């Protein structure tokens, strides 16, 4: 008999969202939904996580997202700092040039994470499933494959195959999200095709494990050759004696021995590196990789959505694929949760692709330009060029042009909306649609004297209304309180140091904060005649930057039924 969806989720309530695929995109979508009180069903046809250290780069914005879900310490315990790159003369261990740092540091004071960290995707996924899901009432159903779906006005009917049992389950969900990668079936079932190109360059990626008696520097990225010919990259992994391996290039086809046998692969490495260190190496994972630069025209059809590699494919340059997929999930999760609860404005779910497609398109252009530099010049040139692009940090991602954000002053600034989707604002201005600044030097008015950061006041499952009081009367928001419950929005009142006055319009449950160092007022650009009310979305972006409580209510009317 097919297992019931309620039992499969360990809950008496039938899940309303089906997530297909348990890569990082699917896992973080599940966490975003759970933060908002929605328990999805998560399936994968694979019986166990795929092995491999690929997809390892975690850029600063992704680290901030992980922190918002409350398990950043677990990730940082296992993740590695970026190591310098050493380029060798082909066939030798002789450096061809001085070592260089591939990854730019973010020096902005509101950034806790200044540079990326590296954690193999297999280790990352296992950590999330075993350490985080188990604590939050989430679980993955493995060996379950989506084999059919049909959309109706108020639901999606699906057929699921339980591979081990050989049974077919028929059930329904309000929404389905395909996080099942480039070859996933969800995209095909809704008739969406990739648009773009598949490059002729062929690559192989895998993991290399040294024998216990072999030693090789584990604190350097090692590079031989060029993508214009054939290149070899060995990157230290988070596992002792193991390296992530990438080999390929324009003339990759000239080296068929790479896949002929284990011994021939070892000989190839000896030829490229001029050392016999790898003569007894093992390869826990090894497989072909084709360079694709593609995305779908839309990220949804009806009640079915796509996220991550299921709707956009990047070159390996800068390791942006995984990070972009996690940001997809962070953007979609809270909106989908409101829809499941019956609270979302009918148009809210259309904002997912409206906001994400420009961001993804811009990143595809950037990663492609870096990749082209590597194929036309050298692998090292492409790696060095990564230093020139702060966009890879993803801290400048903005949705200023979105119809679902409100700003009282942006229209006065003619060029404020003309910034790059990844560029933030070089003039240092802040508007609705921007990432909310993370400032330090805040202290809650309670017994503890602990100094905290702004992000500690935000929550991945709630909107947060920031009220910069400045000794003035705090808005009561009376007209909103019977419509906005505490599971949707939280209020934080921020005072300048030394001006807090007890008892003025403070409601039970509001958080009162002193801006001890003045950093919040400075970063949020609070002036005597400027906006003092900010609505921070669950994904950490400014949804509203306005002057009055009435304008705050207007924002929520765009987002939910009121």
């Amino acid at each position: 008999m097919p297992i019931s969806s309620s039992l499969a989720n360990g809950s008496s309530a039938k899940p309303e969202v089906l997530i297909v695929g348990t890569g990082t995109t699917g896992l973080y979508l599940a966490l975003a939904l759970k933060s908002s009180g929605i328990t999805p069903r998560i399936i994968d046809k694979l019986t166990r996580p795929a092995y491999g250290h690929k997809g390892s780069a975690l850029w600063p914005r992704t680290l901030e997202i992980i922190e918002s879900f409350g398990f950043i310490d677990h990730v940082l315990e296992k993740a590695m700092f970026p190591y310098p790159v050493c380029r060798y003369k082909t066939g030798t261990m002789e450096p061809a040039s001085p070592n260089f740092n591939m990854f730019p540091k973010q020096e902005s004071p509101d950034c806790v994470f200044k540079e990326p960290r590296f954690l193999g995707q297999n280790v990352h996924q296992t950590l999330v499933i075993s350490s985080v899901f188990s604590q939050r009432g989430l679980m993955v159903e493995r060996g379950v494959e989506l084999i059919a779906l049909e959309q109706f006005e108020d639901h999606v009917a699906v057929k699921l195959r339980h591979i081990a049992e050989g049974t077919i389950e028929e059930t329904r969900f309000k929404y389905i999200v395909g996080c099942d990668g480039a070859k996933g079936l969800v995209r095909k079932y809704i008739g969406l095709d990739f648009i773009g190109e598949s490059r002729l360059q062929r690559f192989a990626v895998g993991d290399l494990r040294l024998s216990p008696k072999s030693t090789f520097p584990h604190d350097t990225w090692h590079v031989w050759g060029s993508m214009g010919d054939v290149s070899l990259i060995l990157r230290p992994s988070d596992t002792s004696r193991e390296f992530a391996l990438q080999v390929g290039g324009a003339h990759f086809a000239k080296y068929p021995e790479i896949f002929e046998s284990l011994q021939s692969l070892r000989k190839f490495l000896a030829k490229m590196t001029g050392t016999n260190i790898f003569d007894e190496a093992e390869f826990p994972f090894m497989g072909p990789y084709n360079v694709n630069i593609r995305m779908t025209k839309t990220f949804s059809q009806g009640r079915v959505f796509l996220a991550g590699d299921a709707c956009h494919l990047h070159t390996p340059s800068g390791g942006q694929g995984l990070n972009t997929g996690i940001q997809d999930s962070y953007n979609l999760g809270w909106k989908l949760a409101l829809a499941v609860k019956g609270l979302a404005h009918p148009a809210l779910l259309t904002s997912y692709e409206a906001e994400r497609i420009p961001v993804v398109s811009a990143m595809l252009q950037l990663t492609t330009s870096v990749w082209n530099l590597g194929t036309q010049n050298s692998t090292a040139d492409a790696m060095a060029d990564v230093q020139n692009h702060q966009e890879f940090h993803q801290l400048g991602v903005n949705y200023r042009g979105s119809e679902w954000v409100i700003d009282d002053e942006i229209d006065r600034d003619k060029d404020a909306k003309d910034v790059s989707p990844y560029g933030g604002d070089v003039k240092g201005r802040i508007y609705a649609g921007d990432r909310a600044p993370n400032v330090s030097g805040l202290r809650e008015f309670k017994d503890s004297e602990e100094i905290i950061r702004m992000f500690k006041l935000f929550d991945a499952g709630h909107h947060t209304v920031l009220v910069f009081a400045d000794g003035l009367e705090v808005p009561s928001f009376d007209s909103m309180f019977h419509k906005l419950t505490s599971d949707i929005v939280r209020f934080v009142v921020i005072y300048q140091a030394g001006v807090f006055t007890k008892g003025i319009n403070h409601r039970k449950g509001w958080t009162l904060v002193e801006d001890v160092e003045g950093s919040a007022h400075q970063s949020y650009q609070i002036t005597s005649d400027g906006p003092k009310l900010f609505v921070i979305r669950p994904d950490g972006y400014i949804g509203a930057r306005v002057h009055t409580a009435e304008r705050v209510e207007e924002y929520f009317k765009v987002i939910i039924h009121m």
Side-chain angles (χ1 to χ4, degrees):
M1 293 291 292
I3 60 174
S4 71
S5 58
S6 60
L7 291 177
N9 263 271
S11 169
S12 59
K14 182 182 181 301
E16 302 286 6
V17 178
L18 174 67
I19 299 174
V20 182
T22 58
T24 48
T25 298
L27 298 182
Y28 279 88
L29 177 60
L31 289 172
L33 286 164
K34 188 65 176 181
S35 295
S36 295
I38 301 299
T39 302
R41 186 174 179 185
I42 315 148
I43 65 170
D44 199 304
K45 66 180 181 180
L46 297 178
T47 57
R48 58 185 177 181
Y51 191 85
H53 290 286
K54 62 182 180 179
S56 61
L58 302 175
W59 286 89
R61 181 55 185 159
T62 299
L63 294 172
E64 290 181 349
I65 292 172
I66 296 172
E67 182 183 41
S68 76
F69 288 128
F71 60 97
I72 186 64
D73 290 343
H74 297 291
V75 169
L76 297 182
E77 285 175 7
K78 295 180 176 294
M80 304 173 69
F81 281 100
Y83 287 133
V85 176
C86 181
R87 180 190 177 196
Y88 302 93
K89 295 179 181 178
T90 302
T92 75
M93 289 297 297
E94 181 183 351
S97 59
N99 290 5
F100 62 90
N101 292 318
M102 178 177 174
F103 299 98
K105 276 195 174 184
Q106 171 57 250
E107 299 299 341
S108 173
D110 85 323
C111 300
V112 176
F113 309 105
K114 307 294 185 183
E115 58 191 339
R117 299 290 185 91
F118 291 84
L119 184 66
Q121 192 166 329
N122 57 330
V123 179
H124 189 172
Q125 292 170 9
T126 300
L127 183 153
V128 172
I129 293 171
S130 63
S131 300
V132 183
F133 272 30
S134 59
Q135 297 174 359
R136 305 188 186 187
L138 293 167
M139 67 175 292
V140 170
E141 290 181 71
R142 295 203 171 276
V144 181
E145 182 181 16
L146 175 71
I147 60 172
L149 67 81
E150 183 179 2
Q151 295 203 58
F152 296 88
E153 182 178 352
D154 61 349
H155 71 278
V156 184
V158 304
K159 290 183 180 180
L160 306 176
R161 176 187 290 123
H162 295 265
I163 298 172
E165 296 87 350
T167 57
I168 303 298
E169 174 188 357
E170 296 186 11
T171 186
R172 61 171 62 184
F173 299 88
K174 284 187 177 179
Y175 301 98
I176 294 177
V177 186
C179 303
D180 48 349
K183 297 180 180 179
L185 293 176
V186 176
R187 175 178 57 83
K188 296 177 182 178
Y189 286 147
I190 59 176
L192 292 180
D193 295 322
F194 277 126
I195 300 171
E197 60 177 311
S198 182
R199 292 291 175 92
L200 293 178
Q201 300 106 336
R202 296 292 185 263
F203 286 79
V205 294
D207 295 325
L208 180 153
R209 181 184 298 142
L210 292 175
S211 69
K213 61 183 180 181
S214 300
T215 59
F216 196 71
H218 205 260
D219 58 357
T220 306
W221 283 37
H222 308 279
V223 180
W224 292 265
S226 169
M227 288 188 292
D229 180 24
V230 64
S231 70
L232 168 65
I233 300 174
L234 294 177
R235 174 183 57 77
S237 78
D238 43 80
T239 303
S240 176
R241 296 189 296 107
E242 287 195 11
F243 294 80
L245 178 152
Q246 176 184 296
V247 58
H251 295 159
F252 178 68
K254 292 182 179 180
Y255 300 88
E257 67 269 23
I258 290 174
F259 288 115
E260 284 181 354
S261 69
L262 179 60
Q263 195 59 33
S264 66
L265 175 56
R266 290 169 175 164
K267 287 182 179 179
F268 171 80
L269 294 177
K271 179 180 179 180
M272 288 292 291
T273 65
T275 177
N276 62 0
I277 289 291
F278 309 107
D279 285 356
E280 297 182 13
E282 299 295 333
F283 301 88
F285 160 77
M286 194 74 183
Y289 172 80
N290 292 339
V291 178
N292 289 291
I293 306 165
R294 297 179 173 183
M295 66 183 291
T296 53
K297 186 176 181 180
T298 180
F299 289 0
S300 67
Q301 184 189 83
R303 291 177 170 269
V304 180
F305 297 81
L306 302 174
D309 288 353
C311 53
H312 48 80
L313 301 172
H314 306 251
T315 75
S317 300
Q320 292 297 303
L322 174 143
N323 295 267
T324 304
I326 290 176
Q327 288 233 27
D328 289 346
S329 294
Y330 210 44
N331 183 288
L332 176 61
W334 66 271
K335 299 170 182 177
L336 206 55
L338 287 176
V340 171
K341 294 176 182 178
L343 299 174
H345 189 281
L348 178 61
L349 289 179
T350 65
S351 72
Y352 164 58
E353 61 185 22
E355 292 182 345
R356 292 302 296 163
I357 285 178
V359 172
V360 174
S361 298
M363 183 52 69
L364 280 173
Q365 293 176 21
L366 176 58
T367 54
T368 302
S369 70
V370 175
W371 186 259
N372 288 342
L373 179 64
T375 56
Q376 294 163 11
N377 292 355
S378 73
T379 304
D381 285 344
M383 297 176 82
D385 189 49
V386 173
Q387 299 178 75
N388 300 323
H389 299 290
Q390 291 289 331
E391 296 96 326
F392 286 153
H393 288 279
Q394 298 207 11
L395 295 166
V397 169
N398 67 88
Y399 306 124
R400 288 190 185 181
S402 173
E403 297 178 12
W404 292 268
V405 302
I406 295 177
D407 195 296
D408 278 351
E409 295 191 338
I410 194 168
D411 290 334
R412 302 178 189 175
D413 220 334
K414 293 183 179 179
D415 60 344
K417 291 184 179 179
D418 293 332
V419 299
S420 159
Y422 274 84
D425 195 328
V426 294
K427 296 183 180 179
R429 301 166 299 187
I430 181 174
Y431 289 105
D434 291 351
R435 163 187 168 273
N438 180 25
V439 298
S440 59
L442 305 177
R443 180 176 65 83
E444 285 190 57
F445 286 101
K446 57 182 184 180
D447 294 337
S448 173
E449 292 296 318
E450 179 186 6
I451 299 298
I452 62 174
R453 293 181 286 112
M454 182 68 82
F455 279 13
K456 295 295 184 181
L457 301 172
F458 299 160
D459 186 280
H462 298 79
H463 279 80
T464 302
V465 177
L466 298 181
V467 181
F468 285 85
D470 290 350
L472 303 176
E473 189 75 5
V474 178
S476 65
F477 298 99
D478 283 336
S479 63
M480 295 169 50
F481 260 83
H482 68 286
K483 305 169 185 175
L484 296 176
T485 56
S486 59
D487 65 333
I488 298 174
V489 61
R490 295 175 177 176
F491 290 83
V492 175
V493 183
I494 302 176
Y495 288 93
Q496 290 179 327
V499 300
F500 172 62
T501 303
K502 292 184 178 181
I504 57 170
N505 288 335
H506 294 149
R507 291 182 180 269
K508 183 178 180 180
W510 284 16
T511 300
L512 310 181
V513 173
E514 181 181 18
D515 188 7
V516 177
E517 300 174 0
S519 54
H521 283 72
Q522 180 178 354
S523 293
Y524 284 78
Q525 301 174 6
I526 304 302
T527 62
S528 59
D529 59 349
K532 295 182 177 61
L533 303 178
F534 292 75
V535 181
I536 312 303
R537 306 188 329 185
D539 60 0
Y541 288 87
I542 300 172
R545 174 177 172 267
V546 295
H547 289 87
T548 66
E550 289 74 23
R551 289 285 280 163
V552 170
E553 185 171 358
E554 286 182 32
Y555 164 79
F556 281 107
K557 286 180 178 178
V558 172
I559 301 301
I560 65 177
H561 288 295
M562 291 187 67

